[in-house]
Each structure stands twice: as structure tokens, then as C-alpha cells.
């Protein structure tokens, strides 16, 4: 019974030294307390959707307890191989339309001023399939400012695009040609000069694990996961838009927009995040219920929750609400009646963007699975 022994340990910590004596003298008191604490933490399982452990490598929402996702729980998405890089063989090159092309060793990167950012990184494909709903993690990334490194290299007048190349590579067939190419993503020079973008060598205070980009990755707070290029080997300034696979073939959203009675079809490269939320779990102490969730994708201003066909009720925002790029935890106390219920959450960001309903044209006229930030409804059975 691992759960009970955890509670016992916590109980001892809460009550200090006298608890040890208490354990021996008043076993029933301790037993009561254990029951109360463990039942307070009881999670009522969802009756739909991915169950705990059902989807390897993605977040188990029902098991969500920690605001910072532990390193071993970070989901991973790697489209090519996972390069094992030794620090001594590695360098980062800065090239293309720069006045002072140069390379950096990891030591040289680490010698630059250090910054960190808490960032909820979500795969652009998260929620695109019914079983893929946990491709998001909230970690603290440490590194140095991309802007400073670019400024040191001196960007030439005609540079408009910054391309980030990873070390991982794959064979692609492109218009009849078979080529081996690196994973690569780009952004405009203006976007790349955002002071929040970091070249990171740490996550949660530890060196990057191989899976997450050792020795160096781009961390682009406010962007979908795909922009956060792992295993960086080269940053290149160019004078044309870059149209690689992960810009212009994959991670492309096809969406219809209604304009003056006409549907205009647009394709965009998955880039900046969109406001999103989910009800993670419902807990109960046997009589009262609490709905817990997370919201991310933008700086969250409000989360509302709807049970069945009721009205939208404001949730209480918790950890992360002051943090622009992290996720924000939220909760709502719920007087649940027995029976089956649906629970839907809707987040609003500080610019007034509201997470769309599935029937809103923004979602209903979207034809590819990327950027699926529609409101998510979960089902639960209360005895
Ligand atoms: N070099 C490289 N960087 C990459 C990828 C990749 O395949 N290769 N995958 C991207 C995608 S699609 C996502 S969602 C995030 C996932 O980051 P994580 O694996 O650290 O969670 O990494 C991004 N960076
Ligand atoms: Mo992704």
C-alpha cells in the first residue's frame, strides 16, 4: 500500500516529533487521519478518453500534481534520429548574412549571461487526435539570450530570416530528389530578436537530457513545440523565407476563414501558441468535489468551467497566473450530483482571445490536425 505509507510519512512531517509517540499511543487517531488525507486526494477517473498510462510518453493529466513537470515526465517528440552528442565534438555555428561568422563551444555559450524561463511547451499536434492529449510540459529552461548571440555576429542589412538547424537528420524525397536533410525551423529576424528567446543548456536546473536536445536547444516561449529546435548545430541568417519540411509541409494548418460571405482557405506554418486549457482531474473527499485543470498557450486571464449544459462558472486561478509563458493551474469546487456528467473548460488570455468551441469556424473549418485548441469536454461518473 504505497499510498498509505506516503501519507503516514507526510503525517509525521506535519505533526513533528510527537507524531512518532502518537503513532504508538493513538493508532486509531492516526488511522482516521490517514483515511481523511488519502480520501481527500482521491481522483475520480474520467470515463472517456485516454486513461492513465494509456499513451506512453505523454502527460497523465489525472496524475498531475506538480506545476513543474519532472524531467522524467517530459513528453518527447523527435522526428528523425536522436543524436548522442559529446560536448567536446560539438560547436554551434552562426553563419549566413552576418558580419562576423563564428562558432561557440558549450563552454563559451555558458560563459554568457544566464537567464531562465518557465514555459509550457505544447506540441502543435497536441489534441489533434483523441488519444494524443498530453503532449505538453511545463519546465524551467536555463540558457542565454539568442538576441545577444545574433547581435554579436552582426546581422547584415538584407537578412530577414533566421534558420535553426538540428543535428538530427533524415532522408526525404523532395520533388523527385532523395536528399538527407537536418531537422530545421525558421522564423523572421524580428521574431528571433525577441529578448525572451533563449539558447538553453539546462532544464529544471539539470543539463539537457539527450532526448530534449543536449547540448543546446532553442527555447521559444510562446511558440508551439516544433519551433524549439533541439541539438542545435547551426543558426543561419538568410534573405529568403525558408520552406523546409517542418515549415511548409508538416506542421501546416489549413483553415477556412469566412470573409464577406466567402470562405478563404489559408495555410500557415504552425508558429505562435494559442490559448488552450483542459480539465485534468476531479478529486473528492467523499462529499465535496473539486475540478482541477491547467491553461496555457498565452498569458491566461480567465478560465471558466461548464458542467453538463449549465452556465460557465469562473474557476480560481492558481500557480502560474503571473507567469506569462508557463501554464496556469486552476480549480473549481463542484457540488456534484450522482450520475454521468460532462465537464468543459474555456480559457481566455490577457488579450481577450477566447478558447474556441468545437463548432466555432476557427475549429470547424480547420482541416488539418495541428493547432487543435478547441474546448475539450470530458466525461465523468459520480456514484
Ligand atoms: N532537432 C529537432 N528539434 C525538435 C524536434 C525534432 O524532431 N528535431 N521536434 C520538435 C517538436 S515537433 C516538438 S513538439 C518539440 C518537443 O520537445 P521535447 O521532445 O523536448 O518535449 O521539439 C521540437 N524540436
Ligand atoms: Mo511537435
Amino acid at each position: 500500500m504505497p499510498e498509505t505509507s506516503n501519507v503516514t510519512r507526510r503525517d509525521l512531517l506535519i505533526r513533528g516529533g510527537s507524531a512518532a509517540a502518537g503513532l504508538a499511543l493513538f493508532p486509531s487517531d492516526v488511522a482516521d487521519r490517514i483515511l481523511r488525507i488519502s480520501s481527500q486526494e482521491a481522483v475520480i477517473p474520467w470515463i472517456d478518453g485516454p486513461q492513465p498510462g494509456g499513451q506512453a510518453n505523454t502527460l497523465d493529466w489525472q496524475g498531475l500534481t506538480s506545476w513543474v513537470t519532472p524531467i522524467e515526465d517530459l513528453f518527447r517528440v523527435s522526428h528523425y534520429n536522436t543524436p548522442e552528442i559529446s560536448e567536446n565534438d560539438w560547436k554551434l555555428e552562426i553563419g549566413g548574412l552576418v558580419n562576423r561568422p563564428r562558432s561557440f563551444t558549450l563552454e563559451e555559450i555558458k560563459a554568457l549571461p544566464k537567464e531562465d524561463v518557465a514555459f509550457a511547451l505544447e506540441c502543435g499536434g497536441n489534441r489533434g487526435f483523441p488519444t494524443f492529449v498530453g503532449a505538453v510540459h511545463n519546465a524551467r529552461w536555463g540558457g542565454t539570450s539568442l538576441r545577444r548571440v545574433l547581435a554579436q555576429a552582426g546581422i547584415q542589412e538584407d537578412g530577414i530570416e533566421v534558420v535553426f538547424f538540428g543535428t538530427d537528420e533524415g532522408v526525404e524525397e523532395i520533388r523527385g530528389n532523395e536528399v538527407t536533410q537536418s531537422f530545421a525551423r525558421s522564423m523572421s529576424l524580428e521574431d528571433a530578436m525577441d529578448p525572451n528567446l533563449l539558447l538553453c543548456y539546462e532544464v529544471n536546473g539539470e543539463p539537457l537530457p539527450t532526448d530534449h536536445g543536449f547540448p543546446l536547444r532553442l527555447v521559444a516561449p510562446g511558440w508551439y513545440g516544433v519551433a524549439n529546435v533541439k541539438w542545435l548545430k547551426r543558426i543561419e541568417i538568410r534573405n529568403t523565407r525558408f520552406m523546409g519540411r517542418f515549415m511548409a509541409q508538416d506542421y501546416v494548418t489549413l483553415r477556412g476563414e469566412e470573409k464577406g460571405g466567402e470562405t478563404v482557405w489559408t495555410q500557415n506554418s504552425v508558429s505562435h501558441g494559442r490559448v488552450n486549457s483542459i480539465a485534468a482531474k476531479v478529486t473528492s473527499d467523499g462529499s465535496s468535489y473539486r475540478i482541477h485543470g491547467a491553461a496555457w498557450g498565452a498569458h491566461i486571464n480567465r478560465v471558466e468551467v461548464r458542467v453538463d449544459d449549465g452556465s460557465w462558472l469562473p474557476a480560481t486561478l492558481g500557480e502560474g497566473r503571473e507567469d506569462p509563458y508557463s501554464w496556469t493551474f486552476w480549480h473549481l469546487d463542484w457540488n456534484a450530483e450522482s450520475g454521468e456528467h460532462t465537464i468543459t473548460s474555456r480559457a481566455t488570455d490577457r488579450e481577450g482571445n477566447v478558447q474556441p468551441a468545437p463548432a466555432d469556424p476557427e475549429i470547424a473549418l480547420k482541416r488539418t490536425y495541428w493547432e487543435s485548441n478547441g474546448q475539450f469536454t470530458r466525461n465523468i461518473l459520480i456514484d
Side-chain angles (χ1 to χ4, degrees):
M1 296 200 316
E3 196 175 77
T4 308
S5 61
N6 278 343
V7 173
T8 305
R9 256 181 51 213
R10 204 172 94 175
D11 190 57
L12 286 169
L13 289 173
I14 291 167
R15 306 204 306 175
S18 63
L23 263 175
L25 292 173
F26 307 108
S28 62
D29 170 59
V30 171
D32 280 346
R33 205 183 154 86
I34 288 168
L35 273 176
R36 198 163 61 78
I37 292 174
S38 58
S39 60
Q40 257 174 2
E41 290 175 349
V43 173
I44 319 287
W46 302 112
I47 55 172
D48 68 298
Q51 299 303 308
Q55 179 81 28
N57 180 34
T58 57
L59 196 73
D60 165 21
W61 287 109
Q62 290 189 163
L64 185 66
T65 50
S66 172
W67 185 76
V68 171
T69 311
I71 290 177
E72 61 275 16
D73 293 344
L74 300 174
F75 83 87
R76 298 178 300 284
V77 174
S78 302
H79 289 281
Y80 294 147
N81 57 316
T82 299
E84 300 262 355
I85 298 169
S86 104
E87 186 181 326
N88 296 331
D89 300 338
W90 178 88
K91 56 184 170 15
L92 173 69
E93 279 177 35
I94 314 286
L97 301 171
V98 294
N99 295 324
R100 291 172 293 279
R102 67 160 290 185
S103 63
F104 288 86
T105 63
L106 189 58
E107 219 166 284
E108 287 167 330
I109 292 281
K110 286 182 174 171
L112 298 171
K114 189 173 177 194
E115 294 176 33
D116 62 51
V117 65
F119 171 36
L121 183 154
E122 180 185 26
C123 176
N126 190 37
R127 306 262 316 274
F129 309 95
T131 55
F132 192 57
V133 300
V136 52
H137 49 60
N138 188 65
R140 191 168 286 283
W141 300 89
T144 196
S145 157
L146 168 68
R147 178 197 175 99
R148 184 182 301 104
V149 167
L150 293 179
Q152 273 188 17
I155 310 289
Q156 293 176 3
E157 262 318 76
D158 50 344
I160 59 163
E161 185 91 340
V162 182
V163 191
F164 302 89
F165 291 93
T167 306
D168 50 331
E169 52 185 32
V171 178
E172 301 285 357
E173 168 150 340
I174 305 169
R175 298 172 194 272
N177 302 281
E178 214 173 70
V179 296
T180 299
Q181 63 173 23
S182 307
F183 180 92
R185 277 282 301 195
S186 72
M187 57 176 67
S188 71
L189 179 61
E190 193 188 348
D191 280 336
M193 291 307 255
D194 176 338
N196 293 301
L197 272 55
L198 301 180
L199 297 172
C200 288
Y201 44 83
E202 273 182 17
V203 59
N204 297 345
E206 300 288 334
L208 288 188
T210 293
D211 281 330
H212 300 284
F214 181 87
L216 195 72
R217 84 179 297 174
L218 176 64
V219 169
W223 291 68
Y224 274 111
V226 68
N228 297 258
V229 179
K230 303 191 277 193
W231 311 293
L232 275 176
K233 70 168 184 201
R234 183 171 167 83
I235 300 176
E236 193 170 289
I237 315 301
R238 300 174 69 89
N239 63 2
T240 55
R241 299 263 91 103
F242 176 80
M243 305 289 277
R245 169 177 160 192
F246 300 95
M247 292 299 291
Q249 287 171 257
D250 275 353
Y251 291 87
V252 170
T253 301
L254 170 63
R255 202 192 296 266
E257 291 174 8
E258 286 164 345
K259 300 233 159 106
E262 210 190 320
T263 305
V264 178
W265 291 95
T266 64
Q267 292 174 76
N268 70 276
S269 186
V270 169
S271 55
H272 297 286
R274 302 171 84 89
V275 64
N276 207 343
S277 72
I278 196 168
K281 61 179 180 182
V282 172
T283 57
S284 170
D285 65 358
S287 58
S288 68
Y289 296 82
R290 178 170 277 197
I291 305 165
H292 308 255
W296 65 92
H299 199 169
I300 301 303
N301 187 42
R302 188 164 73 233
V303 175
E304 297 151 292
V305 179
R306 182 159 70 181
V307 176
D308 302 325
D309 293 324
S311 51
W312 289 100
L313 302 170
T316 303
L317 300 188
E319 212 170 353
R321 64 190 180 282
E322 299 303 337
D323 219 319
Y325 298 113
S326 70
W327 62 22
T328 296
F329 276 3
W330 54 264
H331 68 264
L332 179 72
D333 289 325
W334 176 32
N335 278 323
E337 281 166 19
S338 44
E340 243 183 87
H341 299 281
T342 63
I343 294 174
T344 308
S345 65
R346 170 172 86 177
T348 302
D349 70 18
R350 294 199 175 189
E351 264 138 41
N353 299 305
V354 182
Q355 187 184 351
D360 287 350
E362 201 179 325
I363 297 297
L365 292 181
K366 187 168 73 63
R367 292 294 151 78
T368 50
Y369 53 84
W370 315 109
E371 301 185 88
S372 291
N373 68 321
Q375 293 160 21
F376 194 65
T377 295
R378 315 216 61 175
N379 297 280
I380 199 162
L381 177 63
I382 303 295
D383 305 322

